Amino acid sequence: MISTAEYGSTSWELTVQVDQREGDESMKFKLRVKGDLHIGGLMLKLVEKIKAPQDWSDHALWWEQRGCWLLKTHWTMDKYGIQADADLRYTPQHKPLLLQLPNMKTIKLTVSYSSVVFKTVAEICRALNIRRPEELSLLKPPDDLYKKKKRKERNPLLDDVLDMDSLGGGSGGTGNALYSKTMIPTYDPDNGMPVSATSMWFGDNTLTSSQPNLPPAELAKLYQPLSLVDKSVLNAGWLDSSRSMMEQGIQDDDRLLLRFKYHMFFDLNPKYDAVRITQLYEQARWVILLEEIECTEEEMLMFASLQYHICKLTMSTEPLDFSNEPEVDEVEAALSNLEVTLEGSNTDKLLEDITDIPQLADSLRLFRPKRLTLRAYKEYWFVFKDTTISYYKNKDAASGEPVEQLHLRGCEVVPDVNVTEKKFGIKLLLPVADGMNEVYIRCDNENQYAKWKAACILASKGKTMAYSSYRSEVKKIQSFLQMKSLAPPPGQAAPNLDSMEMNAECFVSPRYVKKYKTKQLTSRILEALQNISRLTLMEAKMRFIQAWQSLPEFGINYYIVRFRGSKKDELLGISYNRLIRIDMSTGLPVTTWRFSNMKQWNVNWEIRQVAIEFDQNVSIAFSCVSCDCKVVHEYIGGYIFLSTRSKDQNETLDEELFHKLTGGQE
């Protein structure tokens, strides 16, 4: 027997609150414990005291003051630093979450609040059958996003909640109601690909079919013009992938947005990615309708015609079915590819003689903007070789010294195009010591523009036209121009305005609804539709995604930062392959740094500063104003992680590498 004095000195009373899963009131229990008691022993002691016949396997201890889970059950309370004043909760690790999908539909899903967000997102994507979960993440909407609009004004479509748990579709449930009850999706253990097409186990549901467009009045309630600073506020809410949701203040039934965060869409395959492609299309559609990305009037009408075509096909077709697509035997395809390569006839892979780098030579027009001057283009003879453009007074002078050489490595290539007006321009932002120089080049026709723009894009990445991707880049640009053309194909009659079955105003942003009458919009959408009317539903969605990817602002996320040595705030744009320093007052790029030239980067967690070193002794450092520096650090590391993926790998992710590249060393 130990004395009362000894008993008091070696043990103390600990209060633990127990949360019930089914919404019952929580209970509080007092336990007499010692510092050398491990967490597993504490939970066992607690369950014995509760004496309630239920499954406690999903419960774990949460420490309120520290905001952390006590998941290392072999650690003692002394090791964790738990004392009598600790406020502990014994609570389920899986809790309900309201999740707004890219198509703006909200689902209620039970997810893990104790796993790191990277794992939780993978769990959500598995429940929804979205491959490549590393491209998505969870975004916390700004606090004032819903306050600006009164509850009664909110669009009812956005407030419909599909309860996945009641259907058995939650990650904490036993099955998924979205899957066929007669077939469970199975994955090949070698390459991680689904054994059969998604349509075999996926029925027609809100995830695989496109949502109807909102009436113009409802869309107008959601629309608000966004400056680059506003966009930086929207991008500040990404959750930290290396910490759990609960550790980031997310509570039961909070609303989060599931979005494609990293704009590198790897291995999009209509056979296996019905949900992924549809949700990607929906995210792109909303970004364009709400003008979160800039596009020209011509591009807006092209996107409108694709939306209308997709809406028509969605309403008229039967549930998605890709099972009739021809099967491709991967081994046979690989052998065929090898055979062609060995024969040396696959010119798309590599040109015959890589020492003979192709060049372009054409008569083009050039304009360099200067203050207080009119925009006058002057004709020169242009020669494109390696990653450099040289221009001469005329073709005969090409054997001598050029008027100027433009070095394109690291430049920004911006289209300056209007197909209807036969305007095919390329705007080049060339990096110089104190910023970016603007140069405008004007081509005569579509084919010339496609070749020169493709060469400029490759050169900006440090690649020449000898690369295999040059031809596919040219074809992609030509396809994009063809879609933008509003002129009907030869021999086709003008469209009948009465043939449009839906309100044309549903397919463009509210700004264009104010600018044009309904008949004008209808006419222009139907004209653009004639170029794409033969596309299948999935082809149309893929074209929409590709057209979105072709926009100059595609995939750029903005943050307000303060560069080391600077006295003013500036904008930092982060894309999949580069960082862009942007002047906040003008919105124009100042400098571009490519990830391919990055040697290393690190974060000083004490002063919250990101430091990056590039080739040629270029180094930058900045602190983040609009968000925590961890958000920017994770974006950079995440893009570098995604660039390591290859089709040779199976779909099991190297989670350790992701956390090495994106995790904080706090």
Side-chain angles (χ1 to χ4, degrees):
M1 288 290 291
I2 61 171
S3 66
T4 310
E6 287 175 314
Y7 183 86
S9 66
T10 58
S11 66
W12 69 87
E13 210 168 56
L14 183 68
T15 304
V16 182
Q17 179 181 314
V18 178
D19 291 345
Q20 301 282 55
R21 177 179 284 283
E22 302 300 327
D24 298 335
E25 284 188 28
S26 56
M27 305 173 285
K28 283 199 174 182
F29 291 90
K30 290 187 177 180
L31 302 170
R32 176 66 62 173
V33 296
K34 293 183 182 180
D36 60 358
L37 179 66
H38 54 76
I39 298 301
L42 175 62
M43 291 196 293
L44 183 63
K45 217 171 184 183
L46 183 62
V47 170
E48 285 172 352
K49 186 148 188 177
I50 297 169
K51 295 178 181 173
Q54 73 172 72
D55 183 1
W56 297 99
S57 60
D58 189 47
H59 277 62
L61 286 167
W62 167 260
W63 191 354
E64 285 285 1
Q65 292 104 318
R66 295 279 178 90
C68 69
W69 288 94
L70 309 180
L71 298 176
K72 293 174 180 171
T73 52
H74 59 286
W75 276 27
T76 63
M77 291 203 290
D78 282 344
K79 192 167 182 178
Y80 265 120
I82 297 168
Q83 295 178 350
D85 62 346
D87 187 2
L88 300 185
R89 272 174 65 196
Y90 193 48
T91 186
Q93 296 175 66
H94 286 79
K95 301 170 185 284
L97 175 72
L98 288 173
L99 199 62
Q100 190 192 75
L101 302 178
N103 65 359
M104 294 291 199
K105 283 292 186 188
T106 302
I107 61 171
K108 189 174 185 179
L109 191 66
T110 296
V111 300
S112 172
Y113 277 63
S114 62
S115 301
V116 295
V117 165
F118 186 81
K119 274 188 175 169
T120 301
V121 170
E123 194 180 285
I124 291 167
C125 289
R126 190 161 185 84
L128 303 178
N129 199 51
I130 297 174
R131 288 196 311 142
R132 307 291 176 190
E134 66 274 17
E135 295 170 356
L136 297 95
S137 194
L138 299 173
L139 181 65
K140 190 176 181 182
D143 294 333
D144 61 344
L145 190 66
Y146 295 119
K147 288 177 188 172
K148 285 183 180 177
K149 314 247 176 218
K150 291 180 183 175
R151 183 84 188 173
K152 63 181 178 182
E153 290 182 354
R154 297 259 307 283
N155 172 19
L157 283 176
L158 302 187
D159 286 335
D160 288 342
V161 177
L162 174 65
D163 191 340
M164 301 277 285
D165 298 326
S166 66
L167 299 171
S171 53
T174 53
N176 194 333
L178 298 171
Y179 297 137
S180 160
K181 291 195 169 94
T182 58
M183 186 169 181
I184 298 169
T186 53
Y187 292 82
D188 189 300
D190 296 324
N191 61 20
M193 294 287 281
V195 172
S196 55
T198 48
S199 59
M200 297 295 284
W201 64 78
F202 249 87
D204 186 24
N205 60 69
T206 55
L207 303 182
T208 54
S209 57
S210 305
Q211 297 302 300
N213 281 46
L214 290 182
E218 295 291 353
L219 185 61
K221 290 176 188 175
L222 295 170
Y223 171 76
Q224 49 188 17
L226 294 172
S227 66
L228 293 181
V229 173
D230 293 330
K231 291 176 186 178
S232 73
V233 174
L234 290 176
N235 288 324
W238 290 107
L239 295 192
D240 184 341
S241 296
S242 306
R243 295 163 64 211
S244 70
M245 291 200 301
M246 200 111 146
E247 287 167 336
Q248 299 178 68
I250 308 300
Q251 299 299 322
D252 310 19
D253 288 329
D254 273 3
R255 186 190 289 260
L256 293 178
L257 318 180
L258 179 71
R259 295 289 184 269
F260 288 87
K261 176 180 179 179
Y262 298 104
H263 291 67
M264 286 177 78
F265 314 128
F266 187 67
D267 187 26
L268 275 178
N269 188 329
K271 197 170 187 66
Y272 307 122
D273 289 323
V275 181
R276 185 175 168 217
I277 289 170
T278 298
Q279 294 301 319
L280 202 45
Y281 157 71
E282 288 286 342
Q283 182 164 325
R285 182 170 75 88
W286 281 104
V287 161
I288 285 154
L289 285 175
L290 299 179
E291 290 193 37
E292 290 174 17
I293 188 171
E294 282 190 28
C295 62
T296 64
E297 184 176 307
E298 197 172 58
E299 287 160 348
M300 180 64 78
L301 291 165
M302 174 199 64
F303 285 121
S305 65
L306 279 166
Q307 287 178 71
Y308 173 58
H309 185 58
I310 289 165
C311 269
K312 264 178 53 175
L313 290 177
T314 303
M315 291 169 69
S316 63
T317 56
E318 294 169 8
L320 290 175
D321 183 15
F322 307 113
S323 54
N324 57 359
E325 289 191 4
E327 287 285 348
V328 178
D329 187 303
E330 291 181 12
V331 176
E332 218 171 275
L335 286 171
S336 168
N337 190 29
L338 178 64
E339 185 185 335
V340 172
T341 308
L342 291 172
E343 284 172 5
S345 60
N346 189 350
T347 53
D348 272 347
K349 283 286 177 192
L350 205 71
L351 297 176
E352 299 80 35
D353 180 5
I354 57 170
T355 58
D356 180 27
I357 294 172
Q359 65 179 43
L360 291 173
D362 264 315
S363 179
L364 306 173
R365 284 161 292 157
L366 177 131
F367 165 69
R368 273 187 175 281
K370 293 177 184 174
R371 286 185 180 179
L372 306 174
T373 59
L374 294 170
R375 195 164 176 154
Y377 280 87
K378 196 172 178 184
E379 194 164 320
Y380 293 97
W381 182 257
F382 280 73
V383 176
F384 199 130
K385 190 165 185 182
D386 292 335
T387 59
T388 304
I389 291 177
S390 306
Y391 63 92
Y392 307 84
K393 282 189 175 179
N394 51 50
K395 189 175 181 179
D396 297 335
S399 55
E401 286 293 309
V403 176
E404 188 183 10
Q405 275 196 330
L406 308 176
H407 298 283
L408 270 57
R409 187 186 288 263
C411 78
E412 290 288 307
V413 183
V414 183
D416 182 24
V417 173
N418 188 313
V419 179
T420 311
E421 296 173 8
K422 302 291 181 190
K423 173 186 164 188
F424 303 102
I426 302 166
K427 177 181 170 184
L428 298 174
L429 296 167
L430 303 164
V432 289
D434 57 345
M436 306 282 268
N437 278 346
E438 278 185 50
V439 176
Y440 289 82
I441 295 172
R442 185 67 65 84
C443 302
D444 292 329
N445 53 56
E446 293 182 24
N447 287 337
Q448 195 182 57
Y449 169 80
K451 288 176 185 175
W452 281 82
K453 189 191 172 193
C456 289
I457 289 169
L458 260 68
S460 72
K461 301 172 184 174
K463 297 178 179 180
T464 69
M465 287 177 278
Y467 271 75
S468 59
S469 54
Y470 174 67
R471 292 184 185 189
S472 60
E473 191 69 46
V474 171
K475 285 178 185 172
K476 194 167 85 174
I477 294 166
Q478 288 171 333
S479 168
F480 188 47
L481 290 175
Q482 189 185 351
M483 281 200 300
K484 286 171 76 171
S485 173
L486 298 179
Q492 199 156 326
N496 175 12
L497 298 192
D498 296 329
S499 66
M500 188 144 178
E501 301 152 13
M502 301 168 212
N503 186 350
E505 294 177 350
C506 298
F507 303 104
V508 294
S509 77
R511 193 158 57 90
Y512 288 95
V513 172
K514 290 177 184 174
K515 191 174 178 181
Y516 291 105
K517 292 178 180 174
T518 309
K519 277 190 176 180
Q520 289 175 305
L521 278 176
T522 303
S523 170
R524 299 190 71 181
I525 289 172
L526 289 175
E527 282 171 4
L529 181 70
Q530 294 177 91
N531 295 303
I532 53 148
S533 57
R534 294 187 179 180
L535 296 178
T536 65
L537 181 59
M538 195 51 73
E539 282 171 348
K541 287 179 185 177
M542 289 293 282
R543 283 287 182 92
F544 194 100
I545 293 165
Q546 287 159 5
W548 174 43
Q549 289 174 299
S550 301
L551 297 177
E553 262 193 35
F554 168 76
I556 301 176
N557 290 279
Y558 300 96
Y559 293 97
I560 301 171
V561 299
R562 176 77 60 93
F563 281 91
R564 185 170 56 196
S566 175
K567 292 183 179 177
K568 62 175 185 177
D569 291 345
E570 293 175 78
L571 283 163
L572 180 73
I574 304 176
S575 181
Y576 71 96
N577 61 355
R578 67 200 189 282
L579 299 174
I580 310 160
R581 185 175 185 171
I582 300 165
D583 187 296
M584 198 183 280
S585 56
T586 63
L588 295 173
V590 178
T591 319
T592 296
W593 303 282
R594 295 204 167 262
F595 290 153
S596 55
N597 299 329
M598 189 189 291
K599 287 164 74 176
Q600 66 171 24
W601 86 98
N602 58 67
V603 181
N604 184 329
W605 295 106
E606 288 182 13
I607 58 173
R608 319 297 289 181
Q609 189 179 72
V610 182
I612 309 174
E613 283 182 37
F614 297 93
D615 292 340
Q616 300 174 335
N617 298 320
V618 175
S619 62
I620 61 170
F622 54 85
S623 53
C624 301
V625 178
S626 62
C627 66
D628 190 273
C629 67
K630 175 65 170 72
V631 177
V632 171
H633 165 58
E634 188 173 306
Y635 247 121
I636 296 169
Y639 273 128
I640 289 168
F641 170 75
L642 295 188
S643 69
T644 64
R645 297 180 297 179
S646 73
K647 285 192 179 180
D648 300 334
Q649 299 170 329
N650 61 23
E651 294 194 10
T652 54
L653 283 172
D654 187 347
E655 192 180 335
E656 189 182 345
L657 177 62
F658 177 84
H659 290 304
K660 269 185 186 175
L661 290 168
T662 62
Q665 307 299 316
E666 296 179 78

